Amino acid sequence: MKETAPAAPSADPARELPAREEFIIRGGRVLTMDPSLGEFDEADVHVRDGVIVAVGVGLQAPGVAAMDGRNTIVMPGFVDTHWHLWNSSLRALVRGDDAEHGYFPVTLRVGPLFTPEDSYRSVRLGLAEGLASGITTVHNWSHNTRSPEHADAELRALHATGVRARFSYGWGQELPLNRTMDLEDLARVQREGLPGDGLLSLGAAVRTPVTNPRGAVPIEVIAAEFEGIRALGLPITMHARPGVVSVLEGHGLLGPDLQLVHPQGISVEERRLLAERRTTMSCSPVIEMLYAQATRGEIQFQELLEREVLQSLSVDSSAASANADFFNCMRALLWSHKQRFGSRVPLSPRRLLELATIDGARDLGIAELTGSLTPGKRADLILVRTTDPNIGPVIDPAFALVYSAQPSNVDTVIVDGRVLVREGRFTALDARQVMQDAEQSVRGLVSRSRAGQASGRRGE
């Protein structure tokens, strides 16, 4: 079937992003995630021009606008380190691990039909849900970068939403296994520069050279991609599968610039290699428990922790998991850990919050900018209400966040000093329009998919 021409980009369904202003959050229960500062039962956070100026009790700031932080937990925004935002709208089509309507069958069938506008609309949908969940930084793991126009559309969506993000340029779902990704266009994106004022960074997502549902890519192709990406000085990310660490090590490809995803099926020797090469690992516990445990084994968070491998948390795909609830990501890892170890090896709520904030920032190489409420860092923070029936009364804020909190408790979301969500409502995003655009996109994809299937049957 001949693919329809990409639709012209629609007007951004957003008003102008709010200005960065000076304000002080008063009287919140503050979790700084900075061990030198600790936490406060009641304290203030002073923000000026996108920077955290001070954190403490009774801060003096005459004439500065005050934001009421009482009855809230004030903490760093969540840092997601692996999310396929391009397929967020396919939540409408994916049905668990169904043989025909599961995640892989749907993305492999429908992914090649995406226009740049489809990618734009789907990324915006995922970002809207992520902001509502308190995610202020996202790693956009784009493994349907079908053309330069698709790449530009995803970057435009990230910029227009005002989030902090890494865009990891990938490949089109239909790319032959023996062809390299578009390294020339990756270089073009780097050369032209990313939109915005420093909120976005660039990386590259590469395919996996061992057996997986999308097919094993020859290691020679992978090595060529690594060489081209490393020549540009960009970080690399790859899905892990059993045996992939050994294959990469055998070809000298492991390193501190590489992030692997899914800590499952990793041997004792491979764990040692990951630690020695300082390769990091993103854990997507909801997906790993839901889909992958039967085929790839248990989540090996504890084994990698004991090896001091840097780990972080991620949504993976809100199409596959059906939501982008980052509180649920923490809970899912807790459930997995407790099922494996019970109370013999504790995993505290505090440690889970570190994974969701400062460790995520470390994994993306931006811990000097975000991940904790440290004076001098950028103001990426959230306020979570403690008076809602599902979470209150709150005595231990870390326990409440991990065991009880939901996205509906997120009151305020601030990214780089801009208030993007206030009292649970978007300030610069037309959520209804985002939803309508995503639905229109999915209906068009379904129509083209059915037309292609009918054409294929006629040709048999």
Side-chain angles (χ1 to χ4, degrees), residues 16-233:
E16 185 177 350
L17 291 173
R20 298 181 182 91
E21 298 178 356
E22 184 174 10
F23 57 89
I24 188 163
I25 302 169
R26 293 284 189 191
R29 195 132 185 202
V30 180
L31 305 182
T32 69
M33 307 314 297
D34 181 331
S36 67
L37 295 175
E39 64 182 67
F40 301 85
D41 289 337
E42 183 178 333
D44 309 326
V45 180
H46 187 181
V47 173
R48 182 191 303 126
D49 296 328
V51 177
I52 298 171
V53 175
V55 178
V57 178
L59 296 181
Q60 298 300 307
V64 174
M67 184 183 299
D68 190 358
R70 293 174 298 175
N71 299 315
T72 72
I73 298 168
V74 183
M75 62 175 290
F78 294 129
V79 179
D80 174 277
T81 59
H82 155 245
W83 188 353
H84 308 301
L85 284 164
W86 73 267
N87 62 41
S88 299
S89 61
L90 296 185
R91 176 169 53 201
L93 308 180
V94 173
R95 295 291 178 267
D97 54 1
D98 182 87
E100 182 180 357
H101 302 292
Y103 175 76
F104 286 107
V106 169
T107 54
L108 288 167
R109 181 173 68 249
V110 180
L113 304 179
F114 265 64
T115 67
E117 181 68 3
D118 291 323
S119 296
Y120 171 85
R121 293 179 176 191
S122 195
V123 169
R124 289 302 299 275
L125 176 65
L127 291 173
E129 187 183 9
L131 281 173
S133 182
I135 297 171
T136 55
T137 298
V138 62
H139 182 189
N140 182 11
W141 219 104
S142 178
H143 63 356
N144 198 31
T145 316
R146 302 186 55 236
S147 72
E149 292 75 23
H150 286 78
D152 291 344
E154 294 203 27
L155 285 166
R156 187 166 58 90
L158 293 167
H159 170 54
T161 310
V163 298
R164 192 178 303 282
R166 174 186 292 175
F167 174 68
S168 278
Y169 192 116
W171 67 95
Q173 289 285 296
E174 72 272 39
L175 182 68
L177 299 177
N178 61 354
R179 280 179 48 192
T180 61
M181 63 186 292
D182 193 343
L183 294 170
E184 289 187 6
D185 193 58
L186 174 63
R188 187 268 308 177
V189 172
Q190 184 187 51
R191 182 173 62 253
E192 292 181 356
L194 303 181
D197 47 4
L199 284 174
L200 306 185
S201 62
L202 184 63
V206 299
R207 294 163 293 174
T208 307
V210 296
T211 302
N212 69 89
R214 292 188 170 86
V217 179
I219 189 61
E220 295 77 17
V221 173
I222 296 296
E225 291 179 338
F226 268 68
E227 181 180 6
I229 296 163
R230 283 176 168 162
L232 297 173

